[in-house]
Structures are given as structure tokens and as C-alpha cells.
Amino acid sequence: MVAATLGHPDRIALAKCANAVLGAAGCLLLAALAARLSRRRSVAVAAGLLAALCPGLVLVAADVQDEPLYIVLILSSGFLLLAGVDRPSSNLTLAAGVLLALAALTRPTALVLAVLLLAPLGDSRWPPRVRAHLSLAALLGFGLALGPWTLRNALVFHEFLPVNDGAGVVFYQGNSDWAIRFYRDVHSRAELDRWAQAMHAEIRREGDTFDRAGPLSPRARSRRFAELALAQRRVDPWGWASLELRKAWDWLRPYPNPIFWPKPVVLGVGAFYTALSVLAVRGLAREPRRGVRLFVVAFLLLTMLPHIATLVLWRYRIGSWDPVLVLYGVAGAWRAR
């Protein structure tokens, strides 16, 4: 968004145009992935068209958020990793690692996806030395792209901060008493606004309390917020378990939050995602390449679990899961013929 608005975040129209372009690029990348996996032009065209019509992907492409950029980076990384293993080409896997690092800079939870850069090690088509070379190139690209930012943080804050210091605050938002109150008390948009204002005011007060005890480093401040949330949850372990289940359902549910959307939209989008999910499960189960199937399942788990452990928003799921649902929903529909 900084590049699109030339450093002026108030230029909303430019930011939305940039996200629209990124959204269109995501459709093309999904088509390219479908073509490489299925080797069928009709499946690729169908995947691109469905991506262009998918409610969640259309929504984030029309908003001023980081999902479209994240989607483009993740899909590009996945495509290059797949192409680099099929060829094989260490240059392509190196580029895949670079793009994954950029995705992590866009959304820090993508850091856990670095483990997927080891996927070439499991491809039995190539000798162990070739597989190791491909994975090491991918990890090298990841480190080269992420390293400058991590080094900058080390020089400025004298701490190891791979991306940023916001993990503790996000953990607090998703696991403190405020998260319990959200599920218990928020049933309308007005209640949501009041809850959000009160929560952010509390976070500011807690931060001021930390500062009065003495200056804290960014990492120490983040740790304090995490410790505060953990202390609140230890008082009620069963309530914590219930909270995690509620967050898991928030991630998995096939319909948007009724607090934000009218009932017809919730029902219509819910029906669309339910059908798409059923087709995607079918398509993934019939994926002929076992390694690709395991990779996709690992990707789904690695993008879900960190959010359940911290903070769940449905648009986070859109950015991570909707491309997979589209890709394999089309595959499932084609194989059901």
C-alpha cells in the first residue's frame, strides 16, 4: 500500500485500485497452478473464473487490507516451489523462498510455512543430493529476503525480532478476558464497536502501566501482554478450552459473521462455501500426487493453527484457505463428472 499510495495512506482510491489489480493477479496465479496440477486447460480456466467470482476473494480485493498481496505472494511461492521441484531448478526454489519471506513480512503467521520449503526432500523422483539442493536453495532465499529486516530489528532494538513485536498484543486480543466477552456479549454491530473501543483502551492502559515500571524493549512488552493473557486463562482452564473451540469454529464455519452481514448474505455465502468445501475435499482426496496432497493438508493446518492460538478473523481464513478451496473445488467438480 505504501508503494501504491506513494506514502500517503489517505489515498484510499489508489489503495483499492492496487488491491483490485492484485486480486486479478491472484486469479491468474490460481489458473496457472490449476494448469500445472491438472494439465488441463479447461480446469485452469474454470479455476481462474471461480476465483474471480468467489465472494471472499472479491471482498478482500475490494478492501484496503493486506490479503490480496499475501495471496499473490503465497500463490507465487507455491507455484515456483512446485515448478522448481518438477524441473528440477534450484533457481526457482530460491525464488519461492524469497516470495515466502515477503509473505511473512506481509503477515507474520506465514513464518511457520517456512517448514514447507523442506517439501522437496520428500520427492522420490530425484536423488537425495538433488532434493537437498532444492530445499537448501529455498531456505537460502527465505533467509536472504527476511534477513535484512531481522538484522534491522536487531540493530535498532538489540533483540531478535524476525518480523515485528506485535505477537504478544495479538495473543492478548485473542486469549484474554476480552475474547471471552466477545463471544459472550457481542451480538450486534453496536455492541461490537463498544467492545472494540473498550478493549483497545484497556490495551493502551496496560501499556502505560508497563511503561511506568520502567522502559521495556519491544520484545519484553510483547511478552508482558502474552503473560497477562495466560494469567487470565489459567484461572479457568475449561473456559480456555471452550474459547479455543469457539475460535476454531470461527475459522472453519462456511458463512460470514452475522454481526457484520444481513441474513440473506450469510445464507447465500454459507451455501456457496459449503458446496465449495465439499467439492474441495473430494478434489483433494483424489489428487493423484501424494506429495502434493500432503503439502496442501500441511499448508491448511499450518495456516489455521497459529490463528486459533492467537486471533481469528474470517478474512484471515479467506487469504489462506479460499485459494485452496477454489483450486480443489474445481478439481472436485471436474472429477465428479
Side-chain angles (χ1 to χ4, degrees), residues 137-209:
L139 291 173
L140 176 63
F142 185 82
L144 288 175
L146 192 65
W149 185 257
T150 305
L151 178 61
R152 174 262 179 195
N153 287 342
L155 293 174
V156 173
F157 301 115
H158 308 291
E159 293 181 321
F160 177 69
L161 294 169
V163 180
N164 61 41
D165 64 333
V169 173
V170 173
F171 185 84
Y172 179 82
Q173 290 175 327
N175 292 279
S176 68
D177 289 342
W178 288 103
I180 300 289
R181 294 171 192 167
F182 172 80
Y183 288 108
R184 184 188 64 201
D185 302 334
V186 176
H187 306 290
S188 68
R189 187 58 185 263
E191 290 174 343
L192 175 65
D193 291 340
R194 289 194 295 270
W195 171 86
Q197 290 174 4
M199 180 188 67
H200 289 300
E202 178 69 17
I203 289 174
R204 287 192 295 271
R205 285 195 295 271
E206 291 293 345
D208 292 340
T209 301

Side-chain angles (χ1 to χ4, degrees), residues 28-317:
L28 294 176
L29 285 166
L30 270 173
L33 263 174
R36 176 163 283 277
L37 289 170
S38 68
R39 306 295 181 182
R40 288 178 172 83
R41 182 179 178 181
S42 59
V43 175
V45 172
L49 289 175
L50 182 59
L53 298 173
C54 180
L57 296 178
V58 171
L59 175 66
V60 296
D63 203 353
V64 184
Q65 298 290 348
D66 60 9
E67 277 77 19
L69 177 59
Y70 173 79
I71 290 170
V72 166
L73 293 171
I74 286 292
L75 290 178
S76 299
S77 177
F79 180 86
L80 291 176
L81 187 65
L82 179 63
V85 174
D86 284 344
R87 223 172 252 196
S89 168
S90 58
N91 288 335
L92 291 180
T93 59
L94 177 79
V98 169
L99 289 168
L100 182 59
L102 295 178
L105 290 170
T106 304
R107 180 167 296 167
T109 50
L111 286 169
V112 300
L113 298 177
V115 69
L116 296 180
L117 297 176
L118 297 174
L121 293 175
D123 196 323
S124 59
R125 293 175 297 174
W126 314 117
R129 183 178 178 181
V130 173
R131 288 182 258 167
H133 194 88
L134 293 173
S135 286
L136 287 175
L139 291 173
L140 176 63
F142 185 82
L144 288 175
L146 192 65
W149 185 257
T150 305
L151 178 61
R152 174 262 179 195
N153 287 342
L155 293 174
V156 173
F157 301 115
H158 308 291
E159 293 181 321
F160 177 69
L161 294 169
V163 180
N164 61 41
D165 64 333
V169 173
V170 173
F171 185 84
Y172 179 82
Q173 290 175 327
N175 292 279
S176 68
D177 289 342
W178 288 103
I180 300 289
R181 294 171 192 167
F182 172 80
Y183 288 108
R184 184 188 64 201
D185 302 334
V186 176
H187 306 290
S188 68
R189 187 58 185 263
E191 290 174 343
L192 175 65
D193 291 340
R194 289 194 295 270
W195 171 86
Q197 290 174 4
M199 180 188 67
H200 289 300
E202 178 69 17
I203 289 174
R204 287 192 295 271
R205 285 195 295 271
E206 291 293 345
D208 292 340
T209 301
F210 298 157
D211 291 336
R212 284 196 293 271
L216 290 175
S217 67
R219 187 174 180 180
R221 175 184 288 268
S222 179
R223 186 171 60 249
R224 288 283 187 90
F225 274 107
E227 290 170 349
L228 183 59
L230 288 172
Q232 293 177 3
R233 295 285 59 77
R234 289 194 192 102
V235 175
D236 183 16
W238 289 109
W240 194 1
S242 176
L243 173 63
E244 296 306 301
L245 289 175
R246 292 293 298 269
K247 290 197 289 183
W249 172 242
D250 256 4
W251 183 274
L252 294 171
R253 59 181 164 81
Y255 56 88
N257 195 326
I259 294 174
F260 296 100
W261 301 97
K263 188 173 181 179
V265 173
V266 173
L267 292 175
V269 173
F272 171 84
Y273 275 111
T274 298
L276 184 62
S277 299
V278 170
L279 289 172
V281 169
R282 180 179 187 136
L284 184 57
R286 298 186 178 186
E287 165 61 53
R289 298 173 60 171
R290 180 173 177 270
V292 172
R293 186 166 64 248
L294 292 175
F295 182 95
V296 172
V297 170
F299 174 83
L300 293 174
L301 289 174
L302 288 171
T303 50
M304 176 181 72
L305 295 178
H307 286 102
I308 292 175
T310 53
L311 181 66
V312 171
L313 293 177
W314 209 56
R315 66 180 179 85
Y316 292 168
R317 195 204 79 155

Side-chain angles (χ1 to χ4, degrees), residues 309-334:
T310 53
L311 181 66
V312 171
L313 293 177
W314 209 56
R315 66 180 179 85
Y316 292 168
R317 195 204 79 155
I318 290 172
S320 297
W321 277 31
D322 273 31
V324 176
L325 293 178
V326 168
L327 186 64
Y328 281 99
V330 169
W334 183 85

Side-chain angles (χ1 to χ4, degrees), residues 1-5 11-25 60-65 68-69 72:
M1 292 303 102
V2 173
T5 61
R11 295 177 177 176
I12 304 300
L14 284 177
K16 288 195 171 187
C17 287
N19 269 354
V21 172
L22 289 169
V60 296
D63 203 353
V64 184
Q65 298 290 348
L69 177 59
V72 166

